């Protein structure tokens, strides 16, 4: 039986305003609030909310048969809370159905997994906590920024307790293998890997509204025929999209929402089921291990990380930014911490890409800048001011030995606190189950003892006082 899992990604960065060289040291606010408001409000109106309504209709009309997954960055979630709170209500309603699994990702859609493991772990925890506070769900499956993954990142993901991870079904990694199976990590065998089927995803995202495509027009009947025609043993079909695709890149007038609503009916006719990532990994075993020595992603034809680290501009910006990671981790300035998170968004480095031809044109289409150099200049001006503020908190006069000593002290304290918490938890467990009594009975016995104890001690105290009075 085929298991189809739709994944929808929501991400928006905090966009930088035009920041001049002369603003360095004078203006510490870096963001274009008007652009953020306009873009997130427009996308919520034409894409996010209509798609949430469509998913809800698909769940109801299929009597709960339709299931999917959504990942949303912390920066997008914050902007929706600020500018379009009604969209948060719709996401919460989807979470309450139990048919939509929300994935864990990085808070700012950052490249921390490539640059700083400790910051990566901190950011993932921050994002997971935000999802729980906002939507009331605990994340179980991980999807990194643009599905970035390699063997080293796998160990970090597994170390955080995740049992499954979504990543790109890159051809240069899979070779002759199919992405429609469950694999396991070569370096973290307990981590199950879900791989995207790029062809079937692109058939919707790229070709649904493409009249020159040989299969145009695409309908739900035909699409489910393609999935049903896959070899019987290929039972995990993962389809990954940016939610912007629905309603924005593919406007409502193309019929994309009607196409989506028709999928469950035709899937049922072909004995195809929809599932969440956790359900798929729970009932299917890995067929093989997958080794990924070099980072892969879901961006560009190369499926690598050159979209963010492909030229000297990008690498220099990343080096400068993450060069102060340890110092920022020591500070308690809330505003500085916030800027640190927002400046890590991968979008800032994506705008600096100088890749040409089709990939380059794609990068330029998403950039608010005239050129990659303009994006680099603006970002570095902002970063220069940010570094001045970091230096004010922890000056460069603090040598590495002193800084490392501070970090070691902080880490030791954290470890000691964690150890003490575990010890307290163990002691509480032992007290509750003392003398092999059930927990309820033990509490009742304790209450009786507490009530009786003061009465026995009261009389001696009065006798002592009486002696002193004589």
């Amino acid at each position: 039986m085929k298991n189809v899992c739709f994944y929808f990604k929501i991400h928006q960065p905090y966009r930088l305003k035009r920041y001049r060289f002369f603003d360095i040291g004078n203006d510490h606010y870096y963001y274009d609030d008007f652009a953020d408001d306009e873009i997130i409000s427009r996308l919520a109106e034409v894409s996010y909310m209509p798609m949430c309504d469509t998913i809800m209709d698909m769940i109801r009309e299929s009597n709960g048969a339709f299931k999917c997954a959504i990942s949303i960055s912390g920066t997008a979630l914050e902007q929706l809370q600020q500018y379009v709170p009604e969209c948060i209500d719709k996401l919460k309603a989807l979470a309450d159905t139990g048919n939509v699994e929300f994935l864990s990702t990085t808070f700012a859609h950052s490249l921390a997994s490539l640059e700083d493991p400790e910051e990566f772990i901190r950011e993932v925890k921050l994002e997971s906590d935000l999802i729980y506070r906002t939507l009331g769900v605990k994340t179980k499956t991980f999807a990194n920024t643009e599905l970035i993954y390699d063997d080293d990142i796998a160990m970090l993901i597994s170390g955080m307790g995740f049992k499954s991870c979504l990543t790109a079904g890159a051809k240069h990694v899979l070779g002759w293998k199919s992405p429609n199976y469950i694999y396991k990590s070569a370096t973290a065998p307990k981590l199950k890997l879900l791989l995207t089927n790029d062809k079937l995803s692109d058939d919707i995202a790229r070709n649904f509204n493409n009249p020159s495509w040989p299969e145009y027009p695409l309908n739900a009947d035909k699409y489910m025929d393609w999935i049903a025609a896959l070899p019987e043993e290929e039972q995990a079909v993962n389809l990954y999209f940016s939610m912007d695709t629905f309603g924005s890149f593919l406007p409502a007038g193309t019929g994309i929402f009607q196409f989506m609503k028709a999928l469950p009916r035709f899937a049922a006719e072909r004995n195809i089921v929809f599932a969440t990532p956790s359900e798929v990994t729970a009932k299917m075993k890995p067929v093989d291990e997958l080794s990924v020595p070099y980072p892969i992603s879901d961006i560009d034809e190369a499926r690598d990380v050159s979209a963010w680290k492909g030229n000297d501009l990008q690498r220099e910006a990343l080096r400068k930014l993450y060069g102060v990671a340890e110092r920022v981790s020591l500070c308690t300035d809330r505003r500085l911490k916030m800027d640190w998170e927002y400046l890590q968004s991968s979008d800032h480095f994506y705008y600096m890409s100088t890749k040409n031809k089709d990939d380059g044109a794609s990068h330029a289409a998403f950039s608010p800048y005239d050129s990659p150099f303009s994006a680099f200049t603006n970002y570095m001006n902002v970063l220069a001011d940010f570094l001045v503020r970091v230096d004010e908190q922890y000056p460069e006069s603090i040598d590495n030995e002193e800084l490392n000593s501070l970090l070691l002290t902080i880490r030791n304290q954290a470890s000691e606190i964690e150890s003490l918490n575990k010890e307290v938890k163990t002691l509480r467990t032992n007290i509750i189950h003392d003398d092999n009594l059930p927990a309820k009975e033990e509490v009742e016995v304790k209450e009786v003892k507490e009530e009786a104890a003061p009465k026995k001690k009261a009389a001696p105290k009065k006798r002592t006082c009486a002696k002193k009075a004589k």
Side-chain angles (χ1 to χ4, degrees):
M1 180 180 291
K2 297 288 189 300
N3 295 267
V4 176
C5 187
F6 276 90
Y7 300 81
F8 304 103
K9 177 193 74 176
I10 299 176
H11 166 64
Q12 290 299 323
Y14 282 94
R15 290 162 182 80
L16 301 178
K17 65 183 181 182
R18 291 296 188 267
Y19 195 88
R20 303 170 302 167
F21 175 80
F22 300 103
D23 292 325
I24 300 172
N26 299 311
D27 182 2
H28 302 319
Y29 191 78
Y30 311 135
Y31 312 105
D32 190 340
D33 294 335
F34 295 104
D36 290 339
D37 185 356
E38 188 276 326
I39 292 172
I40 198 76
S41 298
R42 173 170 50 81
L43 287 175
E45 181 180 354
V46 303
S47 177
Y48 301 156
M49 292 196 289
M51 193 57 191
C52 285
D53 290 338
T54 298
I55 294 172
M56 184 63 79
D57 289 342
M58 294 168 75
I59 294 171
R60 288 170 178 166
E61 292 173 7
S62 65
N63 294 320
F66 182 76
K67 300 177 181 180
C68 66
I70 294 176
S71 69
I72 177 169
S73 68
T75 53
L77 201 55
E78 284 186 347
Q79 290 182 62
L80 287 173
Q81 286 177 315
Q82 181 177 359
Y83 300 115
V84 200
E86 58 269 32
C87 188
I88 297 293
D89 294 337
K90 291 182 181 294
L91 291 170
K92 181 67 169 61
L94 290 177
D96 291 342
T97 65
N99 285 43
V100 179
E101 179 177 350
F102 283 82
L103 309 185
S104 184
T105 184
T106 53
F107 176 83
H109 209 61
S110 77
L111 303 175
S113 60
L114 300 172
E115 302 295 327
D116 191 315
E118 290 188 5
E119 173 60 22
F120 173 61
I121 293 170
R122 187 197 70 82
E123 197 177 338
V124 172
K125 185 179 184 305
L126 180 66
E127 166 70 5
S128 298
D129 291 345
L130 180 60
I131 290 290
Y132 181 71
R133 291 197 311 271
T134 308
L135 304 177
V137 293
K138 291 186 177 181
T139 54
K140 301 176 182 178
T141 302
F142 185 76
N144 199 8
T145 300
E146 301 298 349
L147 306 188
I148 293 172
Y149 174 88
D150 66 14
D151 290 339
D152 292 333
I153 296 173
M155 291 189 286
L156 294 175
I157 297 169
S158 180
M160 287 186 281
F162 293 104
K163 304 300 182 185
S164 54
C165 173
L166 176 69
T167 188
K171 294 178 182 177
H172 68 278
V173 172
L174 283 172
W176 56 270
K177 299 176 182 177
S178 167
N180 305 322
Y181 293 98
I182 301 296
Y183 294 88
K184 63 180 179 180
S185 167
T187 53
K190 292 183 179 180
L191 183 68
K192 294 182 178 180
L193 301 179
L194 297 154
L195 307 181
T196 59
N197 187 311
D198 293 339
K199 180 187 179 302
L200 286 171
S201 299
D202 287 346
D203 285 340
I204 295 177
R206 293 177 179 269
N207 295 318
F208 183 81
N209 196 33
N210 179 13
S212 62
W213 183 44
E215 298 293 340
Y216 181 86
L218 179 62
N219 55 53
D221 192 6
K222 183 192 298 185
Y223 193 72
M224 282 300 160
D225 274 342
W226 293 344
I227 294 177
L230 293 171
E232 182 62 30
E233 61 274 15
E234 297 185 14
Q235 297 184 7
V237 182
N238 299 294
L239 306 173
Y240 182 71
F241 306 90
S242 171
M243 194 176 279
D244 302 5
T245 300
F246 304 88
S248 180
F249 298 113
L250 295 175
T254 62
I256 186 62
F257 294 117
Q258 289 76 13
F259 168 83
M260 291 298 296
K261 287 181 182 180
L263 290 177
R265 177 167 64 89
F266 289 105
E269 292 176 0
R270 292 158 178 78
N271 201 29
I272 296 172
V273 300
F274 297 95
T276 64
S278 293
E279 289 176 343
V280 171
T281 52
K283 64 184 178 182
M284 296 178 66
K285 295 182 178 180
V287 297
D288 196 3
E289 69 175 25
L290 199 65
S291 177
V292 186
Y294 302 103
I296 60 173
S297 77
D298 190 54
I299 292 295
D300 296 342
E301 188 66 28
R303 294 294 191 263
D304 58 14
V305 295
S306 59
W308 309 279
K309 300 185 69 174
N311 62 43
D312 291 338
L313 302 178
Q314 295 166 311
R315 290 189 289 270
E316 174 64 10
L318 285 166
R319 185 185 68 80
K320 287 282 189 181
L321 176 66
Y322 284 99
V324 296
E326 290 187 335
R327 296 175 187 270
V328 174
S329 69
L330 291 173
C331 81
T332 57
D333 187 327
R334 184 178 176 184
R335 182 73 206 187
L336 194 69
K337 288 270 194 183
M338 186 190 74
D339 291 334
W340 162 250
E341 290 156 2
Y342 296 170
L343 290 176
Q344 289 186 67
S345 290
S346 59
D347 308 70
H348 304 310
F349 309 98
Y350 187 83
Y351 302 148
M352 301 176 197
S353 176
T354 52
K355 297 179 75 171
N356 54 19
K357 296 183 180 179
D358 293 338
D359 286 342
S362 175
H363 287 238
F366 289 96
S367 176
Y369 299 96
D370 296 333
S371 68
F373 185 75
S374 296
F376 173 77
T377 302
N378 200 68
Y379 183 83
M380 293 306 285
N381 285 341
V382 169
L383 187 59
D385 183 81
F386 176 76
L387 295 179
V388 169
R389 292 164 59 206
V390 173
D391 190 54
E392 289 173 352
Q393 297 271 349
Y394 290 94
E396 291 184 2
S397 58
I398 299 179
D399 57 26
N400 289 333
E401 184 175 347
E402 185 178 354
L403 182 62
N404 290 334
S405 177
L406 288 170
L407 288 170
L408 182 61
T409 300
I410 291 172
R411 289 166 186 160
N412 288 341
Q413 288 175 343
S415 299
E416 186 176 353
I417 291 171
E418 183 178 358
S419 177
L420 289 172
N421 284 335
K422 289 181 180 178
E423 186 176 346
V424 169
K425 186 177 181 181
T426 302
L427 289 172
R428 285 176 177 169
T429 303
N430 291 338
I431 290 172
I432 290 175
H433 297 287
D434 191 29
D435 297 329
N436 295 320
L437 285 171
K440 183 178 179 181
E441 294 177 2
E442 185 66 25
V443 171
E444 291 174 353
V445 170
K446 183 179 178 182
E447 290 175 350
V448 171
K449 289 180 178 178
E450 288 175 350
E451 290 176 1
K455 295 177 182 178
K456 292 179 180 179
K457 293 179 181 179
K461 285 183 179 179
K462 289 181 179 179
R463 288 196 294 271
T464 303
C465 293
K467 289 180 181 179
K468 287 183 179 180
K470 291 178 181 179

